[in-house]
Every structure is written in C-alpha cells, then in structure tokens.
C-alpha cells in the first residue's frame, strides 16, 4: 500500500514539473466600463477668511456617447463656519441642504465640458487651520441602451485664516498667540500708563520684571498668562454680552476658545487696552493714596507728638522716632518779627504750619573730655549729619553726669535775633533759606 502511494506521488511530481505553466488570459477578466464624466477642480482660492471669499470651479466633461445630466453636487461634511453656495448671489447654502442643486442646467452633449461654480465664504468666527472640501458630482445618462447613474469625487484643499491676525500679532509673533496676547497687552499698557500718571521719581517704581525689556522673565509670563486665562474664562464673554445688551454689538455673547475672527481681535485688543489702563490707574491710585495717607499720618504724629513747652532733648527724641535723622537743619525767618529759627520737619507742599526751634546749648562736665570731643565732631563736622549719633552721645553723657564726666545740662539757647523756645509758625509767615546749619552749641565747665 505504501509503495502504491509512493508511485502515485512520483508520477504527479513528474507531470507538474514537465508540463507548461497554466496561465489565465485577460480575456477571462470582466471588462471595466470607462467613466462617463471627468471632473477637474480649478481655483486660485488657497486661503479663506471673513473678508476674502472666493470661487471653486468644477469643470465637468461628458466622456460618454450620449447626453448626460448633472443632478446635484454634494459636499462632504465640513466645518459649520464654512459656507458654500452655487454663486455669491444665491440664497441656498450647503449648510441648509447638504448639496448644491443645478436643476436648471441643460444636459451635457457628447464631449462637452461645462464649469459649475461653487462660492465659498466663512462666518465672522472661525477655527484657523487646513481643511479639505470633498465634492461628489452625481450624473445620469444612457450607456449601451440602459440608464446609468453614478458619481465622481473631486477635492480641493484650502487654509482658513483670521483676517488681520498676522498683521496685528505679527510684531509679537515670537512671543504670543491670540490666546495669551490679552495679558501681554494689559501689562504693556499698564506700564505705559504708569509712566504718564505717576510723577518722578516714583514712576521708576513700576516692577522691572513687568517692563517690556524683561519679557523673558518667568514672573512676567505667570502674570500675563493668568490675566489671559481670566479673560478667556469670564472677561471677554461678559464684555461682549454687555456690548450687545447696550446695542453696540449685534452678535451677542462671544467666546473665542474654539472660533474667533477679526472682530474678536479688534474687541480683545480694545478691551485689553482699557483694562490695562484701568489697572494702572487703580494701582497708581492705591500707591498715591498710601503716600498721601503716610504723609498725613506723619504730619499728624508730628503735631500730636510735639507740643509747646517741650525741652530740646524731648523734641530731638520725638523727631528721631518719626524718621528725622538730621543733625543740621534749614534756617528760617519769621517775617513779622524778624526772628530766626530752625525747621525740624520735612518741608512738604501740603503742610500749612511748622515747628521751629532755637539753638540748643549743651553744657558738659569738666571731666567729659572724650564725650565733649565726640559731640563737637558730630555737630561741627560738615560731612556728618547724623542725629542718632548726637543723641547717643547725649544719652551717654546723661548716664555719666554724676561723675562730672558727662552732660551737665541741655537747654534752649538765648541768642540775639533768634527765637528762644519751641514755636509753631504758619507757612505764610516763614521765609526759608537754602542752607542747613548746626543748631548745637557745645560748652565745657572749667
């Protein structure tokens, strides 16, 4: 049995290897019918925006031997912000029906070519990017004595852009996109407004990391992106809704997260400039208000802290606690009496009255050689103007008073042509000099 099987296999192998190869003739394959129409797309429309619509032309050629009718042209699903119509003057759009009918067109005769225009435009808000428009041309005709229908596909690719975006954002193209540019505009405008509103020298107090030349600082981007996200979340939708409510905008509430247009760029720029200016005004008002309050508080404290009858040491300690660290003071003259004195308060425009003092007499003990010399150095040296140093020497002198090596007494000095005690005088009665003088007169017991 095994031998018989072996012989059969050998014979089969011989027949297969010695016989010619079996081939199939092309005549055995069914002949494919040629297409009845040929569709080509012609258009110069490669970029589409709100103010730059255009045409796509579908050239359809009848390649059959009989009449052909073009029933309709379907357009595959496309973004809702792209509108297609048979012409710029037509009212029927693909968005409504899904296809463009050409029912009024006569049939195409053999070999005839005809152009079918498609008008393309966008809404006021778009999503920029590359898009493919796919057309399906439906036809009906006779071929070999029978009715034949079908469709042929054609496509056209274009780029949807926002009108004016490159022109507006072009100068910032290396640093900003439309999503985050509101925060940058607000910061830049706030810095410009700050320089116009705040006087010198405080205008230089605008944070360095928020200035234009510091746009690479991470703190700049943290603030800019935060402001931009707040604008996306609430600012811009509320702003556009308000404009629509008062009749300045007829589009209602707008949101540019998914789609935007030239109107959004314009409104966002305007809104960012307004907010940046308001932000600068708000911060400047707080800054200036804090300065005015600080000056008012300082003046009030001066008025409350210093009172008639205070001695020289009390006055010196009080003004030192208020931040005055001058051991030399501006000399003033009282106009109605001609007496002179020394101004112990800062000369600020809003002040209407000032405290002035006479010379201060310091009597040192006979053995207070070192303290006496230090006191004279601190008060007579033109390069030294430090009240705290003077007070430190006076305090040390009071401690050593008992041993006649300290300060014996400190009092107002009576000098001709000068006042003899502390006085408060109205600004209108004072004549200011431009120089500062030492008010301390030092004397040592013998």
């Amino acid at each position: 049995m095994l031998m018989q099987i072996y012989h059969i296999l050998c014979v089969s192998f011989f027949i297969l290897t010695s016989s010619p190869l079996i081939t199939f003739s092309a005549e055995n394959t069914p002949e494919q019918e040629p297409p009845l129409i040929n569709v080509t797309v012609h258009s110069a429309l490669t970029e589409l925006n709100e103010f730059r619509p255009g045409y796509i032309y579908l050239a359809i050629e009848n390649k059959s031997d009989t009449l052909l009718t073009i029933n309709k042209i379907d357009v595959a699903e496309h973004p809702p912000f792209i509108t297609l119509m048979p012409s710029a003057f037509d009212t029927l759009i693909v968005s409504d029906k899904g296809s463009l009918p050409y029912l009024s067109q006569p049939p195409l005769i053999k070999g005839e070519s005809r152009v079918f225009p498609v008008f393309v435009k966008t809404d006021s808000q778009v999503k920029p990017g590359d898009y493919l428009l796919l057309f399906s041309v439906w036809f009906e005709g006779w071929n070999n004595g029978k009715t034949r229908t079908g469709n042929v596909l054609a496509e056209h690719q274009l780029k949807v852009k926002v009108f004016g975006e490159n022109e507006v954002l072009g100068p910032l193209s290396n640093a900003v996109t439309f999503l985050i540019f509101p925060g940058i505009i607000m910061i830049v405008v706030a810095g410009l407004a700050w320089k116009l509103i705040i006087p010198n020298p405080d205008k230089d107090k605008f944070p360095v990391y928020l200035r234009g030349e510091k746009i690479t600082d991470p703190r700049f981007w943290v603030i800019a992106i935060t402001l931009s996200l707040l604008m996306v979340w609430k600012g811009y939708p509320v702003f556009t809704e308000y404009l629509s409510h008062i009749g300045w905008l007829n589009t209602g509430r707008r949101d540019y997260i998914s789609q935007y247009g030239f109107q959004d760029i314009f409104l966002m720029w305007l809104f960012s400039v307004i907010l940046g200016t308001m932000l600068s005004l708000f911060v400047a008002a707080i800054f200036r208000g804090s300065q005015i309050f600080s000056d008012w508080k300082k003046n009030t404290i001066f008025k409350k802290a210093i009172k008639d009858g205070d001695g020289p040491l009390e006055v010196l300690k009080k003004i030192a606690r208020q931040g005055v660290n001058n051991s030399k003071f501006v000399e003033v003259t009282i106009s109605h009496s001609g007496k002179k004195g020394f101004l112990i308060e800062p000369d600020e425009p809003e002040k209407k009255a000032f405290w002035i003092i006479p010379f201060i007499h310091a009597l040192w003990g006979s053995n207070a050689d070192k303290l006496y010399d230090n006191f004279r150095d601190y008060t007579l040296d033109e390069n030294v103007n430090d009240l705290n140093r003077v007070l430190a020497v006076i305090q040390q002198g009071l401690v050593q008073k008992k041993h006649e090596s300290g300060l014996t007494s400190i009092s107002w000095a009576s000098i001709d042509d000068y006042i003899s005690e502390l006085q408060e005088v109205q600004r209108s009665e004072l004549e200011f000099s431009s120089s500062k003088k030492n008010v301390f007169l030092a004397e040592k017991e013998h």
Side-chain angles (χ1 to χ4, degrees):
M1 183 68 180
L2 293 174
M3 292 297 295
Q4 290 177 345
I5 294 173
Y6 174 75
H7 284 294
I8 293 172
L9 291 174
C10 290
V11 172
S12 300
F13 177 76
F14 176 77
I15 292 173
L16 290 173
T17 55
S18 60
S19 300
L21 292 175
I22 300 175
T23 60
F24 296 93
S25 172
E27 296 178 354
N28 296 329
T29 61
E31 184 176 351
Q32 192 172 20
E33 296 183 4
L36 299 185
I37 65 172
N38 181 46
V39 181
T40 55
V41 179
H42 303 274
S43 180
L45 185 65
T46 57
E47 293 185 356
L48 183 67
N49 62 60
E50 178 184 359
F51 298 100
R52 298 291 187 272
Y55 276 95
I56 297 173
Y57 301 97
L58 303 179
I60 303 176
E61 179 186 4
N62 183 0
K63 299 179 70 66
S64 70
D65 295 330
T66 184
L67 295 177
L68 286 180
T69 301
I70 304 302
N71 294 331
K72 62 179 179 178
I73 298 178
D74 287 340
V75 183
E77 185 176 351
H78 56 279
F81 50 80
I82 296 181
T83 300
L84 295 97
M85 301 184 296
S87 73
F89 308 100
D90 209 315
T91 58
L92 183 63
I93 61 176
V94 173
S95 302
D96 295 335
K97 300 297 182 182
S99 63
L100 293 167
Y102 292 92
L103 301 178
S104 61
Q105 294 284 338
L108 291 172
I109 64 176
K110 177 184 176 180
E112 181 185 0
S113 295
R114 188 175 300 161
V115 175
F116 291 77
V118 180
F119 182 71
V120 187
K121 66 177 183 177
T122 65
D123 296 339
S124 61
Q125 287 187 302
V126 302
K127 184 177 181 179
D130 295 322
Y131 294 92
L132 180 68
L133 297 179
L134 186 61
F135 302 93
S136 179
V137 181
W138 291 88
F139 63 88
E140 181 180 359
W142 287 85
N143 190 33
N144 297 327
K146 60 180 180 179
T147 302
R148 182 178 174 186
T149 61
N151 69 302
V152 174
L153 298 179
E155 64 181 40
H156 181 70
Q157 188 171 3
L158 51 79
K159 183 185 293 292
V160 175
K161 292 186 175 183
V162 175
F163 177 79
E165 184 174 18
N166 291 337
E167 290 77 7
V168 174
L169 300 184
L172 303 174
S173 58
N174 294 329
V176 64
T177 62
F178 181 67
L179 182 63
I180 63 172
F181 103 92
I184 295 179
I185 297 300
M186 281 188 276
I187 294 176
V188 172
V189 172
L192 295 175
W194 179 276
K195 291 183 179 180
L196 295 175
I197 297 168
I198 301 298
N200 286 322
D202 294 329
K203 65 173 53 181
D204 293 331
K205 292 184 179 180
F206 190 79
V208 175
Y209 58 86
L210 292 181
R211 299 176 186 174
E213 62 269 17
K214 296 295 182 181
I215 199 171
T216 56
D217 195 301
R219 292 172 291 181
F220 175 93
W221 287 109
V222 168
I223 297 175
I225 293 174
T226 301
L227 291 174
S228 297
L229 293 179
L230 289 175
M231 182 76 80
V232 172
W233 177 45
K234 287 293 184 182
Y236 188 67
V238 172
F239 173 66
T240 52
E241 186 175 23
Y242 173 75
L243 290 182
S244 298
H245 179 70
I246 63 177
W248 286 11
L249 196 67
N250 58 6
T251 58
R253 186 183 181 98
R254 297 171 72 96
D255 189 348
Y256 63 86
I257 295 179
S258 57
Q259 297 176 189
Y260 61 94
F262 176 74
Q263 190 174 34
D264 296 287
I265 294 178
F266 171 76
L267 291 175
M268 181 61 71
W269 189 286
L270 177 65
F271 192 30
S272 299
V273 169
I274 293 173
L275 281 182
T277 304
M278 292 177 61
L279 179 64
S280 185
L281 288 172
F282 177 73
V283 175
I286 294 177
F287 180 80
R288 185 57 182 161
S290 64
Q291 282 188 324
I292 294 174
F293 176 77
S294 177
D295 294 340
W296 172 83
K297 185 176 180 182
K298 185 186 297 184
N299 294 339
T300 303
I301 291 174
F302 261 105
K303 302 302 181 187
K304 291 182 178 179
I306 301 174
K307 58 183 183 295
D308 290 330
D310 283 347
L313 187 56
E314 293 175 300
V315 171
L316 294 176
K317 288 182 178 181
K318 287 179 179 180
I319 65 174
R321 282 197 296 267
Q322 305 311 318
V324 176
N325 191 29
N326 304 322
S327 59
K328 297 176 176 60
F329 300 91
V330 174
E331 187 178 66
V332 295
T333 303
I334 303 174
S335 56
H336 69 272
S337 65
K339 294 288 187 179
K340 298 179 181 180
F342 300 95
L343 189 67
I344 59 173
E345 297 183 61
D347 181 10
E348 296 174 349
E350 64 272 11
K351 288 187 177 181
K352 297 181 179 180
F354 297 90
W355 288 104
I356 62 175
I357 61 173
F359 280 105
I360 299 175
H361 179 258
L363 181 62
W364 295 88
S366 57
N367 297 324
D369 296 333
K370 183 176 181 180
L371 293 178
Y372 176 74
D373 292 338
N374 289 339
F375 184 82
R376 286 176 58 84
D377 290 340
Y378 294 153
T379 57
L380 296 179
D381 191 341
E382 293 297 330
N383 298 321
V384 179
N385 189 19
D386 192 335
L387 180 59
N388 289 322
R389 284 188 180 185
V390 175
L391 286 174
V393 176
I394 291 175
Q395 187 62 36
Q396 189 175 356
L398 293 174
V399 172
Q400 300 179 197
K401 179 178 179 180
K402 295 181 179 180
H403 307 287
E404 296 184 357
S405 58
L407 184 63
T408 303
S409 66
I410 182 169
S411 60
W412 301 121
S414 295
I415 305 293
D416 292 340
D417 297 331
Y418 284 85
I419 61 174
S420 58
E421 59 183 357
L422 174 69
Q423 290 186 28
E424 186 179 19
V425 185
Q426 296 297 314
R427 174 189 287 274
S428 58
E429 299 179 2
L430 292 177
E431 297 176 3
F432 297 81
S433 67
S434 58
S435 60
K436 292 184 178 182
K437 291 186 177 181
N438 169 40
V439 300
F440 297 97
L441 302 176
E443 186 179 359
K444 188 177 179 183
E445 293 180 332
H446 299 289

